[in-house]
Amino acid sequence: MRKVLEKHRPEIVQFCAPSVMAHDGEGNGPSNVEVARRLGAKYIFAQVGNLQDAKDAFAAGCDVILTQGREAGGHGLRSEVGAGTLPLAAAVLRLRETSAHKPLVLAAGGICDGGGPGAVLAFGCGGAGLGTR
């Protein structure tokens, strides 16, 4: 990961949890988020599939939390601990209310037509993530 960040120095980076907190494989050194920031990333997204990964993303200081529910094309993150799109988004929004850090919260998973983004906006999310249909 570090080599890619050093070579390309992107301004926007998206990590899929739990790689937000990954270190050198041994648990040593800075997190991937810290490395990306040091190398010039201005915005860091974390795609999370459960509340613990969202808490890690909050703690790491991610700018955007993309909550991906189990409805996400059959490839939800760590589905054994995941949740549906709206319940996960609701839990992350509650976490945001009590946190000093206020990242943008987006919802993804099963959003496949024009009504989906409107629903997650009404729900309190800042937007929706859409994949393929």
Side-chain angles (χ1 to χ4, degrees):
M1 177 71 62
R2 183 183 192 116
K3 289 180 183 181
V4 171
L5 292 170
E6 286 175 345
K7 180 179 179 180
H8 298 285
R9 299 203 180 243
E11 289 189 9
I12 300 172
V13 177
Q14 179 175 328
F15 292 108
C16 294
S19 66
V20 167
M21 300 304 291
H23 298 277
D24 65 357
E26 304 282 322
N28 303 308
S31 70
N32 285 330
V33 171
E34 291 173 286
V35 171
R37 291 261 189 239
R38 287 183 195 162
L39 294 172
K42 292 182 179 8
Y43 300 100
I44 298 180
F45 289 56
Q47 180 177 315
V48 302
N50 62 65
L51 191 55
Q52 183 56 55
D53 288 342
K55 289 177 181 179
D56 291 344
F58 271 79
C62 293
D63 303 296
V64 179
I65 310 295
L66 176 60
T67 62
Q68 179 178 290
R70 285 187 176 165
E71 300 89 337
H75 60 269
L77 299 169
R78 296 173 21 183
S79 62
E80 71 279 3
V81 294
T85 298
L86 292 180
L88 178 59
V92 174
L93 287 167
R94 282 192 302 275
L95 180 63
R96 184 180 185 276
E97 288 175 3
T98 61
S99 173
H101 179 57
K102 304 289 187 195
L104 179 66
V105 176
L106 306 177
I111 300 170
C112 59
D113 60 27
V120 299
L121 287 170
F123 199 69
C125 292
L130 285 77
T132 58
R133 181 174 177 176

